[in-house]
Amino acid sequence: MSMKRTNVYADPEDLAIIKEAAKRRGISEAEIIRQGIHLAAMANRVWDEPLFSRTFAGPGRTLAKREVRDAVADAVTREAEPEPGSAA
């Protein structure tokens, strides 16, 4: 993976914590900072697709726990069943 250099300003106390953690973990301070940048990037990413893409037909009201459990169980059962005409 290619990297790009950048400069940032950081709180001295944060840098001291990073320095101590790097020494304790046996990795570079830069690696800890890269990990932090990656976590920040993922936390702020806008995804192309929604996390939950499946929808369930429902009665148009908030379902009880039992009803949700039953709907999910039904959907899982349907997915697990072999398609008609396929070899089982």
Side-chain angles (χ1 to χ4, degrees), residues 8-60:
V8 298
Y9 290 95
D11 186 284
E13 291 176 8
D14 291 339
L15 293 175
I17 292 169
I18 290 171
K19 184 180 203 88
E20 180 182 312
K23 184 176 180 182
R24 183 178 65 249
R25 293 175 59 194
I27 61 176
S28 69
E29 294 172 43
E31 181 58 27
I32 292 177
I33 292 168
R34 281 191 290 272
Q35 290 171 359
I37 290 170
H38 180 70
L39 289 172
M42 291 297 99
N44 290 283
R45 180 176 176 183
V46 176
W47 298 90
D48 294 335
E49 296 180 12
L51 180 59
F52 299 104
S53 61
R54 294 184 181 170
T55 58
F56 299 98

Side-chain angles (χ1 to χ4, degrees), residues 54-58 63 65-82:
R54 294 184 181 170
T55 58
F56 299 98
L63 300 176
K65 282 183 180 182
R66 179 187 52 78
E67 293 173 303
V68 172
R69 185 188 64 237
D70 292 346
V72 171
D74 290 345
V76 169
T77 301
R78 280 192 305 274
E79 282 192 6
E81 293 173 354

